[in-house]
Amino acid sequence: MKKIYYTIGEVSHLTGIKPHVLRYWESIFDTLSPSKNRAGNRVYTEKNINTVLELKKLIQDEKYSTAGAKKALRKNGKTQEDIPDELEGDLNKVRAFLSNLLQEI
C-alpha cells in the first residue's frame, strides 16, 4: 500500500538525493513545494517525489544547470500544479473581484 505522505528522509532514501539538496531545490524550484505538518516537518506527496525524480534526471543525469532545469520544466509544462476545476472557478471569481477593486482605486 502506498503512503499519502513521505518524510524528507524517506524521499531521500527513495530518490538517492540528500536532504540538504532537497531543501536547496525546494528554495529554487517553485514546482517542488512540500507541505509541512503540524510539527513543521516537510511532508512530500507522490507528485513531489515525481518532481524530485525529474529534477534528478535533468540536473544529475543530463547535467543541466538549475537555470536550465527551470527552463526544461517550463517547456515540459511542469511549472504549475494542476488546479482542480472547483478551485479554478473560485480563483476566477477572486481575480474578477480584485480587478474591480483595483479599478475603483
Side-chain angles (χ1 to χ4, degrees):
M1 180 175 197
K2 288 187 178 181
K3 294 174 67 172
I4 296 174
Y5 297 110
Y6 297 84
T7 66
I8 194 168
E10 291 170 327
V11 174
S12 176
H13 181 73
L14 289 170
T15 62
I17 303 295
K18 295 188 183 228
H20 73 275
V21 175
L22 291 171
R23 288 188 290 273
Y24 174 69
W25 285 355
E26 189 181 318
S27 71
I28 293 177
F29 299 100
D30 296 335
T31 54
L32 184 59
S33 56
S35 302
K36 292 191 177 181
N37 62 15
R38 290 183 182 185
N41 300 323
R42 289 167 175 80
V43 287
Y44 291 80
T45 62
E46 287 286 327
K47 193 170 192 173
N48 295 135
I49 294 171
N50 290 335
T51 301
V52 169
L53 292 172
E54 180 71 18
L55 288 170
K56 179 182 179 180
K57 181 181 131 199
L58 291 170
I59 294 171
Q60 292 186 349
D61 299 340
E62 297 180 14
K63 305 299 182 195
Y64 277 69
S65 65
T66 53
K70 277 185 185 181
K71 288 180 185 178
L73 287 177
R74 207 174 298 124
K75 185 177 178 182
N76 292 336
K78 296 185 179 181
T79 56
Q80 293 182 356
E81 304 265 326
D82 292 333
I83 299 171
D85 292 335
E86 61 268 16
L87 288 180
E88 193 165 53
D90 291 343
L91 288 173
N92 287 333
K93 289 177 187 175
V94 170
R95 281 188 195 109
F97 171 77
L98 291 173
S99 178
N100 290 336
L101 187 61
L102 185 61
Q103 290 175 358
E104 289 180 14
I105 294 178

